[in-house]
Amino acid sequence: MKTAIVVHGGAGAWSEKPDRLSRALPVCIEAAKAGQAVLVAGGSAMDAVETAVRILEDHPVLDAGRGSYPNADGLVEMDALMMNGRNLDLGAIAAVQRIQNPISLARRVMEYHDHNFLVGNGAEAFAAKAGIPFCDPADLLTDENLAHYQAANGTTNPAADSGSIGDTVGAVAIDADGNLVAGTSTGGTRHKLPGRVGDSPLVGSGGYADNWTAAVSATGHGEALMKVVISKRVCDLVGDGLSAQAACDAAIQLLAERVDGTGGLIAVDARGQIGVARNTNAMPFAYAIGDEAIVSGH
Ligand code: ASP
């Protein structure tokens, strides 16, 4: 089976600051390359997705891990999801504040098996027991995001701010054994209310993976994406016989028509075919099929 990995850096408000897009694209390429190296060396789709998403989380230009957007109180609250298409195991965490790589915590929740989804203090207590490293919340907040918060706080409401959609990150992969995995990680939307959780950690919305159909990661306006359970919908459309690309296109069209939503999707199906779609002005992405050269775009 030919391996493949696709990563995205969020269907966010990229038109606001074009220089940010040119900073984000190389990070996507680096993440796809690192995931590709894992797969080409015979590694699992799980390790490839975690490796890629950690790189995206570590880069301050993207809204996940370091670089997460602060909420209305000026605090970072992060959400993440990891799903294994072989057995449909999943792990999700929400509203964590002191974890530099939420995707790794989501993976540990998945591997723990007793629960699928942990939030807030409980998720951080689990992280301490699982040996996941903690960070200072101040390290997650970049000067750029702090300045935006200070300039906008009190005058901006989340729905009216064109920059409110985040630049969530995600990766999907298929390994040589045909296993599909999806991972999504986010700091959520700018100025969100404390405690707000978007689509990203919700199974079927922010991501889904099933070896019978596809692995999908979503990004965009979480309140809309979750209404149409968009990632599971892409998998179902692939199950109905659509290609990964046609399924992503159809799901984005539905998002717009049914709930007036904006967002983006990446997918890889069980045959290793790739889909990328968005109805926002940009979504940096990169993918690698087998050991072929990286393809990137926005
Ligand atoms: N979907 C994310 C959320 O609503 C934001 C994003 O994708 O950028 O939290």
Side-chain angles (χ1 to χ4, degrees), residues 25-26 28-29 284-287 293-298:
L25 204 49
C28 291
I29 293 169
F285 67 88
Y287 65 81
I294 305 276
V295 177
S296 65
H298 55 81

Side-chain angles (χ1 to χ4, degrees), residues 165-168 186 188-189 196 198-200 219-220 222 225:
I165 294 177
D167 311 309
T168 291
T186 188
T189 49
R196 176 265 187 190
D199 62 300
S200 304
T219 167
L225 294 164

